């Protein structure tokens, strides 16, 4: 028997358990340690520079290294780190942020419920949908419908209602009354409603662009069609804009605004603070909030750090930057730029297709899904920090400050990594 190689410091002594990882593999290879970021670039601990193709996990919309956000958070923590927004408490900055978000909400007069991140937002929306029907005399409406390929975070409800079966395996039943339908066919939703009855269905959760499931753009007219089906059958339409919200869709704050979806509930996180600190928010249309605001209903739900004052300060600073630097327009520019520069990669024999043309997102789908993980490593050797999503897609979701020249450079580096 051969003697195993001397393990590195990282592989024997790191206490870290990574998310979404085969820790055996991570332990063998050691972690990719990121030390610094600036604009559309990051640096590893050894000082190597990488073009950040994914803006972290789809969140650094305003780019890395914004001193302005750090300063806003520091000033907030120095005066009041946080208090609570349970009962009638609320930190002053959190209240101001809620008002500001109310002004850009896709549905006028929306209420804003703060969370600590995307998964919290999803579970909040799932509970709120069921509770809404209870409060309005239809307690039988409990079924939550999601879509195949969809990703809705990793809390129990979100894992159950999403459409990535491997994420649900081997836990037993996570949440009763959850079903999924085809991701790309509005008729599948209609068929399910006819099968189980609208009087059983609370809500339909819909990512305007399927993100972590592999970046799949909605077929033409799909979003409007499922929205209308929900309206016709008294099923709440929940837009999961954790990825698409706060400008990722290009040209507007939300996909729901761009496609005039008028969601009953809208879940957000990531771009709200550009990921500088964790925060999420659920936008609640006024007719859904009404039973909870008319007196006598206690909603026993909330998170200690929901609406954290430091996070609210980061969100305010993020929104300031988005507005001052016209980053919604920059995201629209990237929609075209990614499409133009990445499309030619589809001709490469190792590439099955390139999905792009809506928002500052794209996917380079490898012909062999098994190549995706090793390709992330090859990309790093070519100076790109990338990520695999879905079945063998390379996720492209840069920060909105990435220039057209950098997009061109990114496409060139991907091409040379493809070989
Ligand atoms: N919904 C969608 C569409 C997401 O992409 C994500 C995160 N990738 C989530 C929910 C969960 O967000 P978080 O990881 O912040 O809990």
């Amino acid at each position: 028997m051969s003697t195993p190689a001397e393990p590195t410091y990282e592989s024997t002594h790191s206490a870290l358990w990574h998310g979404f990882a085969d820790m055996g593999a991570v332990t063998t290879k050691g972690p990719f340690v990121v030390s610094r970021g600036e604009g559309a670039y990051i640096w590893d601990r050894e000082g190597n520079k990488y073009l950040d193709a994914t803006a972290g996990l789809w969140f650094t919309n305003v780019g890395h290294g914004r001193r302005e956000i750090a300063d806003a958070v520091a000033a907030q923590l120095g005066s009041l780190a946080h208090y609570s927004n349970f009962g009638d408490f609320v930190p002053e900055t959190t209240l101001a942020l809620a008002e500001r978000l109310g002004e850009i909400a896709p549905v006028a007069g929306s209420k804003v419920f703060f969370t600590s991140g995307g998964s919290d937002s999803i579970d909040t929306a799932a509970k709120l949908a069921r509770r809404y029907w209870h409060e309005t005399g239809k307690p039988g409406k409990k079924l939550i419908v999601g879509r195949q390929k969809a990703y809705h975070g990793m809390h129990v409800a979100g894992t159950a209602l999403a459409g990535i079966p491997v994420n649900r395996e081997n836990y037993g039943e996570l949440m009763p009354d959850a079903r999924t339908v085809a991701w790309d066919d509005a008729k599948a939703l209609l068929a399910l409603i006819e099968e189980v009855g609208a009087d059983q269905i609370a809500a339909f959760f819909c990512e305007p662009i399927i993100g972590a499931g592999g970046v799949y753009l909605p077929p033409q007219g799909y979003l409007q069609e499922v929205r209308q089906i929900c309206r016709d059958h008294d099923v709440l339409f929940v837009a999961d804009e954790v990825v698409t919200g706060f400008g990722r869709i290009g040209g507007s704050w939300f996909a729901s605004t761009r496609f005039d979806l008028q969601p009953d509930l809208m879940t957000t996180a990531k771009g709200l603070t550009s990921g500088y600190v964790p925060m999420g928010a659920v936008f609640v249309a006024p007719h859904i909030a009404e039973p909870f605001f008319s007196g006598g209903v206690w909603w026993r739900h909330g998170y200690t750090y929901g609406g954290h004052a430091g996070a609210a300060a980061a969100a305010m600073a993020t929104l300031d930057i988005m507005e001052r630097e016209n980053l919604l327009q920059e995201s629209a520019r990237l929609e075209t730029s990614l499409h133009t520069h990445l499309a030619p990669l589809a001709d490469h024999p190792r590439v099955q297709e390139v999905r792009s043309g809506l928002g500052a997102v794209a996917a380079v789908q490898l012909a062999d899904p098994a190549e995706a993980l090793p390709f992330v490593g090859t990309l790093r050797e070519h100076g790109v920090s990338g990520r695999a999503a879905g079945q063998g897609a390379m996720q492209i979701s840069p920060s909105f400050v990435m220039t057209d020249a950098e997009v061109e450079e990114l496409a060139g580096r991907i091409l040379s990594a493809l070989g």
Side-chain angles (χ1 to χ4, degrees), residues 58 117-119 122 151-153 207 240 242-243 269-270:
W58 330 76
S119 299
I122 294 293
Y151 182 84
H152 296 295
E207 287 171 279
D240 182 358
V242 168
V243 161
K270 299 190 192 274

Side-chain angles (χ1 to χ4, degrees), residues 149 183 214-217 342-356 362-368 392-394:
K149 295 190 192 296
W183 71 273
V215 185
Y216 290 90
L217 312 182
L342 295 174
L345 297 178
D347 295 334
H348 193 283
R350 288 177 70 195
V351 175
Q352 183 188 316
E353 65 172 2
V354 175
R355 295 187 284 275
S356 63
V364 177
Q365 177 72 48
L366 298 182
D368 178 0
M394 299 314 302

Side-chain angles (χ1 to χ4, degrees), residues 85 94 97-103 105 109-115 246 266 268 272 279-285 289 293:
N85 64 12
T94 307
L97 176 62
E99 299 310 322
R100 192 162 174 186
L101 294 179
E103 281 162 25
S110 285
K111 304 293 184 189
V112 178
F113 191 97
F114 286 116
T115 69
F246 298 100
M266 180 175 78
T268 70
L272 169 58
M279 182 177 231
V282 181
F283 290 66
V284 185
F293 277 67

Side-chain angles (χ1 to χ4, degrees), residues 387-413:
R387 184 171 178 262
Q391 295 290 311
M394 299 314 302
Q395 166 194 334
I396 314 285
S397 56
S399 67
F400 306 158
V401 299
M402 186 179 274
T403 64
D404 291 345
E406 285 164 342
V407 172
E408 197 173 350
E409 184 188 330
L410 174 66
R413 285 172 186 255

Side-chain angles (χ1 to χ4, degrees), residues 216-227:
Y216 290 90
L217 312 182
Q220 191 75 31
Y222 172 87
L223 295 173
Q224 292 84 347
E225 219 178 315
V226 285
R227 180 49 186 118

